Amino acid sequence: MTELRNDRHLTMERLLDLIGTDKIDTVVVAFTDMQGRLQGKRLHGHYFRDVVVPHGTEGCNYLLAVDVEMNTVPGYAISSWEQGYGDMDFVLDHRTIRLLPHLPATAMVQCDLVWPDHRPVVQSPRTILTRQLDRVAERGWQALAGTELEFIAFDTTYEAAHDSGYRDLRPANQYNVDYSILGTSRIEPLLREIRNTMYAAGLDVEGAKGECNFGQHEVGFLYADALTTADNHVVYKNVAKEIAAHQGKAITFMAKYNQREGSSCHIHLSLRGQDGGLVFWEDGARTPLYDQFVAGVLATVADFTLLYAPNINSYKRFADGSFAPTTIAWGLDNRTCAVRLVGHDAGARMENRIPGADVNPYLALAAMLAGGLHGIENELELEPALEGNAYTSDRPKVPHTMAEARERFSSSEISRAALGDEVVDHYANMADVELAAYNAAVTDWELHRGFERL
């Protein structure tokens, strides 16, 4: 019997019972794509029970080889017109079965991807993270993680936002509501439904708080093992958009929607023994292994920035004095640094402040683990903590463009050794596709700047 992540998840046996009594009539079978989105199928419950559970299901391999707008694009080794765009098989992970109570009689199962001959699709984000977790497990450890994901809410539908060119939208709050109880009360119907739906769907909800940008909010969840955290992250992001749409609102997880504060996804991470024993803390202080892990993450920031900041827009967020990091440094409870160390004893953990809300959590967590293991394997020495304002320090800077991050990622011996050439080449091509599309676009800024004056 599959061990449940908590008592709000379902066993396969229980799901089939609910289908048999017509309490569940729809099963969403989904995996996470390169862009961090859930992709898959809605299946009739009886078809899922009678056909998919015993025999499986599949989807086109172009789902890991398209751009954000689902256009087929060249350059991917696994999928092309020449290869005929064949299938990948969806492998149901029984640990992820959950109800989706915001939808009538609906459950979801998340999947891994394999080829028809049962080889894993190594470019799949979930597989990339799993392989790094296997490296951690080989050393007798487990990785615990938490993601803090911000969004901006608007009092408009997605359709109306599209028709207006995503301009002049009315935010759900008209002023900075960071920690404001009144500010969160203004959109409590949305926040409350998200919180309660996510709890019923098997996530462990902490709460919600306002953030700095107009209409910006964060719903927080408890720390969990890294794979569970990534699985929950993508479910939450998808469901939050669905709930907003049901309420006639729209939310965005863009890293930088406008000139004000961007939306972050700070990632907290620590290692534990397989028995839950502490790895990062001993005798009232950080362990040498903890320091080596942090040193490795810092040493590989430039190598893995593409996985922390995977879109053109991600890099607009890196601005001095914005609470988004620009400096590769660490500090003790210092929010100006790329890496912030917080907590003690069982709560000792590192916070990676580089990712924005557009991050793919599987890829970012895999990068952090690969970097940390690099530090441990090479016994890297942790530099002194930065005290004061990292924005004005002379420490190295986080890559500030996607082109720079792509080049560092593709040419990195560390990224290729940790992730493999197939993975690095795949995601370097993803960057090439986005850069080509962006460089070919004529922006509003260019029109405003040059239409009359040039």
Side-chain angles (χ1 to χ4, degrees):
M1 178 177 173
T2 301
E3 182 178 351
L4 294 179
R5 286 174 165 174
N6 58 48
D7 60 7
R8 280 159 282 127
H9 283 268
L10 303 178
T11 62
M12 182 60 76
E13 180 182 15
R14 177 58 179 155
L15 175 58
L16 298 182
D17 286 343
L18 292 171
I19 292 170
T21 57
D22 293 325
K23 293 178 180 177
I24 292 293
D25 58 40
T26 302
V27 179
V28 177
V29 174
F31 71 93
T32 303
D33 71 1
M34 293 190 294
Q35 291 82 8
R37 306 171 299 189
L38 288 178
Q39 304 282 20
K41 305 176 180 181
R42 278 182 161 81
L43 303 176
H44 190 277
H46 289 266
Y47 175 81
F48 174 83
R49 179 193 63 190
D50 298 338
V51 178
V52 174
V53 172
H55 303 296
T57 188
E58 62 287 315
C60 180
N61 62 37
Y62 95 130
L63 292 167
L64 280 181
V66 290
D67 67 10
V68 175
E69 295 184 325
M70 301 302 290
N71 297 311
T72 54
V73 290
Y76 289 110
I78 68 169
S79 183
S80 67
W81 292 112
E82 289 73 23
Q83 296 182 66
Y85 287 114
D87 279 339
M88 305 176 290
D89 291 344
F90 296 179
V91 179
L92 309 178
D93 186 336
H94 293 199
R95 296 171 297 178
T96 68
I97 303 172
R98 66 181 86 225
L99 296 174
L100 296 179
H102 69 298
L103 300 172
T106 301
M108 173 184 280
V109 188
Q110 288 167 270
C111 302
D112 286 307
L113 298 174
V114 301
W115 297 113
D117 63 4
H118 306 297
R119 290 178 297 115
V121 178
V122 298
Q123 296 85 353
S124 165
R126 200 168 191 260
T127 300
I128 292 169
L129 175 56
T130 299
R131 290 197 162 185
Q132 296 307 308
L133 292 172
D134 288 343
R135 294 179 63 201
V136 171
E138 288 169 1
R139 292 161 173 78
W141 305 322
Q142 59 176 319
L144 302 182
T147 57
E148 300 175 330
L149 186 57
E150 298 171 351
F151 61 82
I152 298 176
F154 299 94
D155 290 330
T156 183
T157 66
Y158 280 110
E159 291 78 12
H162 172 272
D163 291 345
S164 67
Y166 305 102
R167 296 290 186 183
D168 302 319
L169 305 182
R170 178 180 173 83
N173 303 95
Q174 286 70 52
Y175 57 88
N176 182 332
V177 297
D178 195 21
Y179 286 95
S180 168
I181 299 302
L182 176 61
T184 50
S185 294
R186 294 270 296 278
I187 64 164
E188 176 61 2
L190 174 64
L191 297 175
R192 181 174 183 269
E193 187 173 353
I194 292 173
R195 291 196 309 272
N196 291 340
T197 298
M198 290 293 83
Y199 184 81
L203 281 72
D204 292 316
V205 181
E206 289 186 356
K209 65 175 288 292
E211 291 290 346
C212 298
N213 203 339
F214 299 167
Q216 189 177 52
H217 295 265
E218 174 188 301
V219 178
F221 302 91
L222 288 176
Y223 225 46
D225 71 89
L227 185 61
T228 295
T229 289
D231 288 342
N232 288 345
H233 176 118
V234 295
V235 171
Y236 157 58
K237 192 172 178 180
N238 192 80
V239 169
K241 289 180 180 180
E242 292 177 344
I243 291 173
H246 293 168
Q247 294 193 7
K249 296 183 182 293
I251 61 178
T252 183
F253 290 96
M254 288 180 66
K256 187 76 167 175
Y257 169 71
N258 57 18
Q259 299 300 317
R260 287 185 59 88
E261 297 82 3
S263 291
S264 67
C265 178
H266 301 147
I267 300 179
H268 294 253
L269 182 66
S270 66
L271 300 182
R272 294 279 184 90
Q274 295 287 5
D275 60 356
L278 300 187
V279 172
F280 278 178
W281 200 266
E282 187 176 28
D283 297 329
R286 299 194 314 269
T287 62
L289 189 143
Y290 186 7
D291 283 1
Q292 291 169 2
F293 189 93
V294 174
V297 171
L298 289 170
T300 59
V301 161
D303 301 78
F304 291 125
T305 295
L306 185 64
L307 302 188
Y308 301 141
N311 299 297
I312 295 287
N313 180 254
S314 309
Y315 297 83
K316 305 292 178 69
R317 182 174 150 267
F318 299 143
D320 289 346
S322 67
F323 286 101
T326 60
T327 304
I328 302 175
W330 75 278
L332 293 170
D333 199 13
N334 186 338
R335 285 183 167 88
T336 71
C337 297
V339 171
R340 169 177 169 251
L341 300 194
V342 290
H344 55 82
D345 297 307
R349 63 199 186 276
M350 66 163 293
E351 177 192 54
N352 182 355
R353 297 179 61 80
I354 297 173
D358 59 339
V359 74
N360 185 322
Y362 300 94
L363 300 180
L365 282 165
M368 291 175 69
L369 291 171
L373 291 174
H374 170 75
I376 291 171
E377 290 168 352
N378 292 278
E379 298 182 352
L380 298 186
E381 183 177 351
L382 183 62
E383 64 190 32
L386 188 147
E387 298 181 2
N389 187 353
Y391 293 117
T392 59
S393 75
D394 60 357
R395 300 285 178 89
K397 300 298 181 182
V398 177
H400 270 48
T401 67
M402 191 177 193
E404 179 186 355
R406 181 260 182 232
E407 191 57 35
R408 291 295 301 266
F409 178 68
S410 180
S411 63
S412 168
E413 294 181 3
I414 295 172
S415 68
R416 291 185 177 276
L419 305 179
D421 290 338
E422 293 170 297
V423 169
V424 172
D425 292 342
H426 192 86
Y427 286 90
N429 189 69
M430 177 182 172
D432 290 339
V433 168
E434 291 301 298
L435 287 164
Y438 181 71
N439 290 334
V442 177
T443 65
D444 290 349
W445 183 89
E446 292 168 274
L447 290 172
H448 177 79
R449 195 88 161 177
F451 185 90
E452 178 179 350
R453 285 172 279 199
L454 296 182

